[in-house]
Amino acid sequence: MSSERPNGLFRNIPAKVAAIPMIITALVVFMGGSLWTMAYSLTKSKLLPKWKFVGLDQYERLWSTKRWVVSIENLFIYGVCMLIASFVIGFILAALMDQKIRFENTFRTIILYPFALSFIVTGLVWQWILNPEFGIQSIIRGLGFTSFEFDPLYNADIAIYGILIAGLWQGTGLIMVLMLAGLRGIDQEIWKAAKVDGIPTWKTYLFIVIPMMRPVFITTLVLVAASIVKVYDLIVAQTGGGPGISTEMPAKYVYDYMFGGQNLGQGFAASTMMLLAVLVVVIPWAYLEFGGKKRG
Amino acid sequence: MESSISIRDLSLSFGAVKVLRNLNIEIGQGEFLVLLGSSGCGKSTLLNCIAGLLDVTDGQIFIQGKNVTWAEPSDRGIGMVFQSYALYPQMTVEGNLSFGLKNAGMAKDEIKKRVARAAEILQIEPLLKRKPAALSGGQRQRVAIGRALVRDVDVFLFDEPLSNLDAKLRADLRVEIKRLHQRLKNTMIYVTHDQVEALTLADRIAIMKGGNIQQLASPNEIYNKPANKYVADFIGSPSMNFLEGVIDISGAPQFNSDVMSFDISGYEFVDGPTGGPAWFGIRPEHIVTGELLANAPVQFDAEVELVEPMGSDTLVWAKVEGVPMHFRMDGQAEVRSGDQMRIGFDPARANIFNKETELRI
Ligand SMILES: Nc1ncnc2c1ncn2[C@@H]1O[C@H](COP(=O)(O)OP(=O)(O)OP(=O)(O)O)[C@@H](O)[C@H]1O
Ligand SMILES: [Mg+2]
């Protein structure tokens, strides 16, 4: 061997060879597919993709469609509430679970169980629970409170929160388990040191433990964010987008236009907007996390 | 003078497992007490009880005359240093030192003064703006000591603070802790399973086993007059030689085993000569060779089996009448396995334990 620094390209050849199929898949399927979609979102494709260039017409139409705008609003409400509520509830559950309680395994299974169900099942279950005819409302009325009203899925103003409840019920378990794993990874001596220092438990969580759990939070954030952006089946099972268009979501819009409305161009434009929205969030974050300054 | 810490009839159980049994310890003002024992004997548990991190099952703890058995850790006037440093990783060194004080609502300039003083004592001033991840193990442990220091407390508790460091650093920091103790004159309780640390640092050592204290005495006494066979075996490296036999006190006291018998008139019995089955123990460094044999009333011929040169001295593993014995020789000694040599010792330096009770006789 020469004493020269080996060329980076030729180091670790087996690892690089092994990665080639995945790299090709990523390039061709993901990147290629995305670029193809973007390109055809600039055309007048209807039932089949056709290369008839119309510029940004599809986007103009998209943003002037009430249904799309409502979808985006809904995604925003659902996303923000879901993120905050599921993190708070998941973390609190995990913190309670971390107090060396008895039957921890049982509780963990119960709370994680909804995650094992498909969104369709969750959606249907909650559709029944929230149904005024035979759900919570009828039960409470049956107890004598005849003026009790609780029918979020039938009130266009709050229907999205009905969806949110179901989403939380399904998603919080996973967050709790991830957070619990993170909490368990914290050295017990840190807790002892904080106690000797006289720091109250909530402050220890807030200023010491949670900052130490940053990696867990980031992983969880990515998982939750992905599940929020692509939420579709929950809507279909629970409300079908109704009442009216009050619980429409972007993913449903895309699906309906591509396969139901036979308007590929419009579906492509919508999905490009979704991709763009994800990139706007992901790129600055990835840059902060992996690029720029070295970690220290 | 009033004792600094007083532990009375302390017991602790985890469910059915009794970890500490009826401990009674009085620790004087400014004393350096080392808790020494093998893994799992309850040292950390005892320390955590004193710190208030574990609720005791029974008994009482007094610190500076105050009953603190049920007081919060932060109200007990203690500072604690952990094996894993337990620094808050997202805060700078300065943040680590001041977080507890800030939380207690102390005035800013008082905090500043205390941090500066701790940093000066521990020589960590240049590190104040760094995060723990950017420190070496030794520096981290200094910061951890600093966190106890700024609390300005009467009692320091250390739980194996040096176990995660390499041998060289351990020796350095050991000296520094001793210096710190001489300067601050606080009461310190120090848990370790390293006997060199224990012997060098302690005013008194408590040897623990299975939740009991086997012996609580000065290092000198522990080393030279171990109270029982466990302590004798535990302290000293390599460990003491033990011969099994019977003490005969019909005439001048005699030790008889299957293969040898010798006169032990020089030995100071605890309660006058006592006969019966016994263990005879002699430390490797008390077995002599060569010219020193002149002062050794008891002598044997030994066959060398194995030689371990250790630089400053040489450890020799030999057999006397088929009984294994090991002893120390000078580092320059020329010995080879297979050699025959004359060895001897003075029974006055021996330790004899009852066969049944294993107590010193
Ligand atoms: N939470 C617990 N529940 C049950 N048993 C425990 C618990 N904590 C400790 N023990 C037991 O108590 C005994 C003493 O533990 P302790 O941590 O005090 O040992 P130690 O002397 O500090 O040992 P080491 O030198 O390994 O640190 C051990 O046998 C351990 O198994
Ligand atoms: Mg321990």
Side-chain angles (χ1 to χ4, degrees), chain A residues 187 189-190 192 197-198 203, chain B residues 48 82 84 87-88 99 103:
Chain A
D187 185 354
E189 292 195 338
I190 291 268
K192 292 184 183 175
D197 262 351
K203 268 195 183 173
Chain B
N48 285 334
F82 299 90
S84 64
L87 298 177
Y88 312 134
F99 191 55
N103 188 64

Side-chain angles (χ1 to χ4, degrees), chain B residues 7-151:
Chain B
I7 292 163
R8 303 184 190 160
D9 297 322
L10 184 74
S11 298
L12 185 131
S13 317
F14 290 113
V17 190
K18 283 204 158 172
V19 178
L20 299 177
R21 297 153 197 266
N22 248 354
L23 296 184
N24 281 290
I25 309 175
E26 295 287 327
I27 304 166
Q29 297 289 349
E31 185 171 355
F32 200 120
L33 180 84
V34 171
L35 301 176
L36 181 63
S38 52
S39 197
C41 68
K43 309 179 294 287
S44 301
T45 308
L46 174 57
L47 204 67
N48 285 334
C49 286
I50 298 173
L53 297 168
L54 283 174
D55 287 341
V56 304
T57 311
D58 205 4
Q60 288 169 323
I61 299 168
F62 291 78
I63 296 180
Q64 306 297 9
K66 263 197 330 208
N67 186 341
V68 295
T69 315
W70 300 107
E72 285 295 315
S74 52
D75 301 335
R76 293 187 176 205
I78 51 142
M80 193 159 175
V81 178
F82 299 90
Q83 175 176 353
S84 64
Y85 321 127
L87 298 177
Y88 312 134
Q90 308 297 333
M91 299 181 197
T92 60
V93 168
E94 199 173 5
N96 268 280
L97 296 183
S98 56
F99 191 55
L101 304 181
K102 257 188 220 152
N103 188 64
M106 185 180 284
K108 276 228 172 72
D109 30 331
E110 173 67 14
I111 295 180
K112 221 172 187 169
K113 240 176 30 205
R114 289 198 185 182
V115 170
R117 172 166 173 270
E120 184 260 318
I121 293 176
L122 296 163
Q123 296 169 354
I124 50 174
E125 287 125 324
L127 312 176
L128 282 178
K129 296 287 172 227
R130 291 207 213 160
K131 292 235 175 113
L135 301 178
S136 73
Q139 291 168 332
R140 282 182 212 181
Q141 201 51 285
R142 266 169 227 252
V143 176
I145 295 174
R147 195 169 52 185
L149 212 59
V150 291
R151 291 173 53 73

